[in-house]
Amino acid sequence: MHKFKWLPIVFSTFLMLSSCTDYYNGDYPSNVYFPKEGGCKIIDGHGVDGLTIWEGDKNYTVPEIKDSTYIEDLPGRPNFKVSSEWFTAEYSQKSFTITLYVKPNTTGKKRKAVLKADTPPPHFNDHYKIHIKQDK
């Protein structure tokens, strides 16, 4: 009986380490990169109820909201979109895809924003963060 005394310690350590996984992002990528020329990319995941574009300080602790749309504001609409000065994100409820359209970067600086995608029920008050980055 004494030879299995270590088993609870090993098992609890395994559980503790396995709970320290990466942030779940609904199968949407955490980062999407665009060249200076801009472009279009389609990303897919598990579906969202709303989109918000955050721009602001480096850590987005004080985000500046550029645009925000929620599905309950648009009953019966299969698609909805949000836009900032340099990119647009369009969501399709039919395919659970988000299409990102990014304009060419003429600022001479790198551009970045966060697309916050609110999760559908039963995960209220949760969201996915998709970091949009563009070269200078």
Side-chain angles (χ1 to χ4, degrees), residues 20-39:
C20 298
T21 59
D22 289 340
Y23 174 75
Y24 177 66
N25 220 36
D27 287 342
Y28 291 103
S30 295
N31 295 292
V32 181
Y33 299 94
F34 286 90
K36 176 183 178 178
E37 298 77 32

PDB file of all heavy atoms in Angstrom, residues 20-39:
ATOM      1  N   CYS A  20      -3.108  25.202 -16.678  1.00  0.00           N
ATOM      2  CA  CYS A  20      -2.389  26.416 -17.061  1.00  0.00           C
ATOM      3  C   CYS A  20      -2.201  26.472 -18.576  1.00  0.00           C
ATOM      4  O   CYS A  20      -1.125  26.751 -19.074  1.00  0.00           O
ATOM      5  CB  CYS A  20      -1.033  26.470 -16.374  1.00  0.00           C
ATOM      6  SG  CYS A  20      -1.146  26.541 -14.589  1.00  0.00           S
ATOM      7  N   THR A  21      -3.235  26.191 -19.325  1.00  0.00           N
ATOM      8  CA  THR A  21      -3.142  26.199 -20.776  1.00  0.00           C
ATOM      9  C   THR A  21      -3.365  27.594 -21.313  1.00  0.00           C
ATOM     10  O   THR A  21      -3.732  28.508 -20.589  1.00  0.00           O
ATOM     11  CB  THR A  21      -4.188  25.238 -21.374  1.00  0.00           C
ATOM     12  OG1 THR A  21      -5.486  25.666 -20.944  1.00  0.00           O
ATOM     13  CG2 THR A  21      -3.948  23.813 -20.941  1.00  0.00           C
ATOM     14  N   ASP A  22      -3.154  27.749 -22.612  1.00  0.00           N
ATOM     15  CA  ASP A  22      -3.373  29.026 -23.268  1.00  0.00           C
ATOM     16  C   ASP A  22      -4.839  29.432 -23.191  1.00  0.00           C
ATOM     17  O   ASP A  22      -5.729  28.614 -23.052  1.00  0.00           O
ATOM     18  CB  ASP A  22      -2.958  28.942 -24.737  1.00  0.00           C
ATOM     19  CG  ASP A  22      -1.459  28.856 -24.900  1.00  0.00           C
ATOM     20  OD1 ASP A  22      -0.748  29.240 -23.957  1.00  0.00           O
ATOM     21  OD2 ASP A  22      -1.012  28.403 -25.968  1.00  0.00           O
ATOM     22  N   TYR A  23      -5.064  30.725 -23.353  1.00  0.00           N
ATOM     23  CA  TYR A  23      -6.395  31.306 -23.369  1.00  0.00           C
ATOM     24  C   TYR A  23      -7.177  30.732 -24.551  1.00  0.00           C
ATOM     25  O   TYR A  23      -6.706  30.757 -25.689  1.00  0.00           O
ATOM     26  CB  TYR A  23      -6.239  32.827 -23.482  1.00  0.00           C
ATOM     27  CG  TYR A  23      -7.518  33.591 -23.642  1.00  0.00           C
ATOM     28  CD1 TYR A  23      -8.367  33.773 -22.564  1.00  0.00           C
ATOM     29  CD2 TYR A  23      -7.871  34.132 -24.867  1.00  0.00           C
ATOM     30  CE1 TYR A  23      -9.540  34.486 -22.708  1.00  0.00           C
ATOM     31  CE2 TYR A  23      -9.039  34.840 -25.005  1.00  0.00           C
ATOM     32  CZ  TYR A  23      -9.875  35.014 -23.918  1.00  0.00           C
ATOM     33  OH  TYR A  23     -11.030  35.703 -24.059  1.00  0.00           O
ATOM     34  N   TYR A  24      -8.358  30.202 -24.310  1.00  0.00           N
ATOM     35  CA  TYR A  24      -9.183  29.647 -25.382  1.00  0.00           C
ATOM     36  C   TYR A  24      -9.813  30.779 -26.168  1.00  0.00           C
ATOM     37  O   TYR A  24     -10.416  31.679 -25.610  1.00  0.00           O
ATOM     38  CB  TYR A  24     -10.258  28.723 -24.801  1.00  0.00           C
ATOM     39  CG  TYR A  24     -11.184  28.186 -25.855  1.00  0.00           C
ATOM     40  CD1 TYR A  24     -10.701  27.315 -26.830  1.00  0.00           C
ATOM     41  CD2 TYR A  24     -12.508  28.563 -25.900  1.00  0.00           C
ATOM     42  CE1 TYR A  24     -11.532  26.820 -27.807  1.00  0.00           C
ATOM     43  CE2 TYR A  24     -13.351  28.074 -26.877  1.00  0.00           C
ATOM     44  CZ  TYR A  24     -12.863  27.203 -27.827  1.00  0.00           C
ATOM     45  OH  TYR A  24     -13.690  26.723 -28.799  1.00  0.00           O
ATOM     46  N   ASN A  25      -9.682  30.729 -27.482  1.00  0.00           N
ATOM     47  CA  ASN A  25     -10.128  31.819 -28.336  1.00  0.00           C
ATOM     48  C   ASN A  25     -11.202  31.372 -29.329  1.00  0.00           C
ATOM     49  O   ASN A  25     -11.329  31.954 -30.399  1.00  0.00           O
ATOM     50  CB  ASN A  25      -8.928  32.408 -29.076  1.00  0.00           C
ATOM     51  CG  ASN A  25      -8.987  33.906 -29.179  1.00  0.00           C
ATOM     52  OD1 ASN A  25      -9.457  34.564 -28.256  1.00  0.00           O
ATOM     53  ND2 ASN A  25      -8.518  34.449 -30.280  1.00  0.00           N
ATOM     54  N   GLY A  26     -11.977  30.332 -28.971  1.00  0.00           N
ATOM     55  CA  GLY A  26     -13.071  29.897 -29.824  1.00  0.00           C
ATOM     56  C   GLY A  26     -12.625  29.421 -31.188  1.00  0.00           C
ATOM     57  O   GLY A  26     -13.366  29.504 -32.161  1.00  0.00           O
ATOM     58  N   ASP A  27     -11.411  28.927 -31.286  1.00  0.00           N
ATOM     59  CA  ASP A  27     -10.773  28.485 -32.523  1.00  0.00           C
ATOM     60  C   ASP A  27     -10.447  29.620 -33.489  1.00  0.00           C
ATOM     61  O   ASP A  27      -9.965  29.391 -34.578  1.00  0.00           O
ATOM     62  CB  ASP A  27     -11.570  27.393 -33.236  1.00  0.00           C
ATOM     63  CG  ASP A  27     -11.482  26.058 -32.512  1.00  0.00           C
ATOM     64  OD1 ASP A  27     -10.566  25.895 -31.682  1.00  0.00           O
ATOM     65  OD2 ASP A  27     -12.324  25.189 -32.764  1.00  0.00           O
ATOM     66  N   TYR A  28     -10.717  30.870 -33.106  1.00  0.00           N
ATOM     67  CA  TYR A  28     -10.254  32.003 -33.898  1.00  0.00           C
ATOM     68  C   TYR A  28      -8.784  32.227 -33.567  1.00  0.00           C
ATOM     69  O   TYR A  28      -8.360  32.003 -32.435  1.00  0.00           O
ATOM     70  CB  TYR A  28     -11.052  33.271 -33.569  1.00  0.00           C
ATOM     71  CG  TYR A  28     -12.487  33.208 -34.027  1.00  0.00           C
ATOM     72  CD1 TYR A  28     -13.504  32.958 -33.118  1.00  0.00           C
ATOM     73  CD2 TYR A  28     -12.805  33.386 -35.367  1.00  0.00           C
ATOM     74  CE1 TYR A  28     -14.826  32.885 -33.535  1.00  0.00           C
ATOM     75  CE2 TYR A  28     -14.132  33.319 -35.785  1.00  0.00           C
ATOM     76  CZ  TYR A  28     -15.134  33.068 -34.867  1.00  0.00           C
ATOM     77  OH  TYR A  28     -16.426  32.990 -35.290  1.00  0.00           O
ATOM     78  N   PRO A  29      -7.976  32.685 -34.530  1.00  0.00           N
ATOM     79  CA  PRO A  29      -6.563  32.933 -34.210  1.00  0.00           C
ATOM     80  C   PRO A  29      -6.419  34.099 -33.243  1.00  0.00           C
ATOM     81  O   PRO A  29      -7.232  35.024 -33.249  1.00  0.00           O
ATOM     82  CB  PRO A  29      -5.954  33.272 -35.579  1.00  0.00           C
ATOM     83  CG  PRO A  29      -7.093  33.762 -36.398  1.00  0.00           C
ATOM     84  CD  PRO A  29      -8.309  33.020 -35.913  1.00  0.00           C
ATOM     85  N   SER A  30      -5.401  34.058 -32.426  1.00  0.00           N
ATOM     86  CA  SER A  30      -5.145  35.156 -31.486  1.00  0.00           C
ATOM     87  C   SER A  30      -4.502  36.349 -32.175  1.00  0.00           C
ATOM     88  O   SER A  30      -4.678  37.481 -31.748  1.00  0.00           O
ATOM     89  CB  SER A  30      -4.228  34.683 -30.360  1.00  0.00           C
ATOM     90  OG  SER A  30      -4.874  33.697 -29.603  1.00  0.00           O
ATOM     91  N   ASN A  31      -3.742  36.088 -33.238  1.00  0.00           N
ATOM     92  CA  ASN A  31      -3.046  37.148 -33.971  1.00  0.00           C
ATOM     93  C   ASN A  31      -3.263  36.961 -35.465  1.00  0.00           C
ATOM     94  O   ASN A  31      -3.155  35.846 -35.975  1.00  0.00           O
ATOM     95  CB  ASN A  31      -1.542  37.102 -33.695  1.00  0.00           C
ATOM     96  CG  ASN A  31      -1.228  37.416 -32.258  1.00  0.00           C
ATOM     97  OD1 ASN A  31      -1.406  38.538 -31.811  1.00  0.00           O
ATOM     98  ND2 ASN A  31      -0.776  36.417 -31.513  1.00  0.00           N
ATOM     99  N   VAL A  32      -3.549  38.073 -36.154  1.00  0.00           N
ATOM    100  CA  VAL A  32      -3.674  38.059 -37.603  1.00  0.00           C
ATOM    101  C   VAL A  32      -2.793  39.193 -38.124  1.00  0.00           C
ATOM    102  O   VAL A  32      -2.942  40.338 -37.708  1.00  0.00           O
ATOM    103  CB  VAL A  32      -5.138  38.253 -38.063  1.00  0.00           C
ATOM    104  CG1 VAL A  32      -5.234  38.219 -39.572  1.00  0.00           C
ATOM    105  CG2 VAL A  32      -6.043  37.196 -37.450  1.00  0.00           C
ATOM    106  N   TYR A  33      -1.863  38.855 -39.006  1.00  0.00           N
ATOM    107  CA  TYR A  33      -0.895  39.817 -39.514  1.00  0.00           C
ATOM    108  C   TYR A  33      -1.205  40.180 -40.964  1.00  0.00           C
ATOM    109  O   TYR A  33      -1.583  39.320 -41.758  1.00  0.00           O
ATOM    110  CB  TYR A  33       0.521  39.239 -39.445  1.00  0.00           C
ATOM    111  CG  TYR A  33       0.947  38.903 -38.043  1.00  0.00           C
ATOM    112  CD1 TYR A  33       0.787  37.626 -37.532  1.00  0.00           C
ATOM    113  CD2 TYR A  33       1.498  39.882 -37.221  1.00  0.00           C
ATOM    114  CE1 TYR A  33       1.164  37.324 -36.234  1.00  0.00           C
ATOM    115  CE2 TYR A  33       1.883  39.582 -35.918  1.00  0.00           C
ATOM    116  CZ  TYR A  33       1.707  38.301 -35.440  1.00  0.00           C
ATOM    117  OH  TYR A  33       2.083  38.006 -34.155  1.00  0.00           O
ATOM    118  N   PHE A  34      -1.019  41.457 -41.291  1.00  0.00           N
ATOM    119  CA  PHE A  34      -1.208  41.947 -42.649  1.00  0.00           C
ATOM    120  C   PHE A  34       0.038  42.702 -43.089  1.00  0.00           C
ATOM    121  O   PHE A  34       0.669  43.389 -42.291  1.00  0.00           O
ATOM    122  CB  PHE A  34      -2.416  42.891 -42.727  1.00  0.00           C
ATOM    123  CG  PHE A  34      -3.741  42.184 -42.652  1.00  0.00           C
ATOM    124  CD1 PHE A  34      -4.345  41.961 -41.434  1.00  0.00           C
ATOM    125  CD2 PHE A  34      -4.363  41.745 -43.807  1.00  0.00           C
ATOM    126  CE1 PHE A  34      -5.557  41.297 -41.355  1.00  0.00           C
ATOM    127  CE2 PHE A  34      -5.585  41.086 -43.742  1.00  0.00           C
ATOM    128  CZ  PHE A  34      -6.182  40.860 -42.519  1.00  0.00           C
ATOM    129  N   PRO A  35       0.370  42.622 -44.390  1.00  0.00           N
ATOM    130  CA  PRO A  35       1.490  43.407 -44.898  1.00  0.00           C
ATOM    131  C   PRO A  35       1.091  44.874 -45.051  1.00  0.00           C
ATOM    132  O   PRO A  35      -0.093  45.226 -44.918  1.00  0.00           O
ATOM    133  CB  PRO A  35       1.760  42.764 -46.269  1.00  0.00           C
ATOM    134  CG  PRO A  35       0.428  42.245 -46.697  1.00  0.00           C
ATOM    135  CD  PRO A  35      -0.244  41.789 -45.422  1.00  0.00           C
ATOM    136  N   LYS A  36       2.052  45.689 -45.365  1.00  0.00           N
ATOM    137  CA  LYS A  36       1.820  47.124 -45.565  1.00  0.00           C
ATOM    138  C   LYS A  36       0.732  47.372 -46.608  1.00  0.00           C
ATOM    139  O   LYS A  36      -0.038  48.320 -46.494  1.00  0.00           O
ATOM    140  CB  LYS A  36       3.136  47.771 -46.002  1.00  0.00           C
ATOM    141  CG  LYS A  36       3.038  49.215 -46.342  1.00  0.00           C
ATOM    142  CD  LYS A  36       4.364  49.762 -46.844  1.00  0.00           C
ATOM    143  CE  LYS A  36       4.208  51.214 -47.224  1.00  0.00           C
ATOM    144  NZ  LYS A  36       5.461  51.804 -47.665  1.00  0.00           N
ATOM    145  N   GLU A  37       0.641  46.504 -47.608  1.00  0.00           N
ATOM    146  CA  GLU A  37      -0.311  46.670 -48.707  1.00  0.00           C
ATOM    147  C   GLU A  37      -1.755  46.384 -48.294  1.00  0.00           C
ATOM    148  O   GLU A  37      -2.673  46.648 -49.053  1.00  0.00           O
ATOM    149  CB  GLU A  37       0.065  45.751 -49.880  1.00  0.00           C
ATOM    150  CG  GLU A  37       1.424  46.039 -50.484  1.00  0.00           C
ATOM    151  CD  GLU A  37       2.573  45.491 -49.639  1.00  0.00           C
ATOM    152  OE1 GLU A  37       2.411  44.453 -48.977  1.00  0.00           O
ATOM    153  OE2 GLU A  37       3.629  46.150 -49.614  1.00  0.00           O
ATOM    154  N   GLY A  38      -1.962  45.833 -47.098  1.00  0.00           N
ATOM    155  CA  GLY A  38      -3.315  45.494 -46.647  1.00  0.00           C
ATOM    156  C   GLY A  38      -3.756  44.167 -47.223  1.00  0.00           C
ATOM    157  O   GLY A  38      -2.942  43.323 -47.567  1.00  0.00           O
ATOM    158  N   GLY A  39      -5.067  43.970 -47.349  1.00  0.00           N
ATOM    159  CA  GLY A  39      -5.572  42.731 -47.915  1.00  0.00           C
ATOM    160  C   GLY A  39      -6.826  42.254 -47.225  1.00  0.00           C
ATOM    161  O   GLY A  39      -7.472  42.984 -46.462  1.00  0.00           O
TER     162      GLY A  39
END
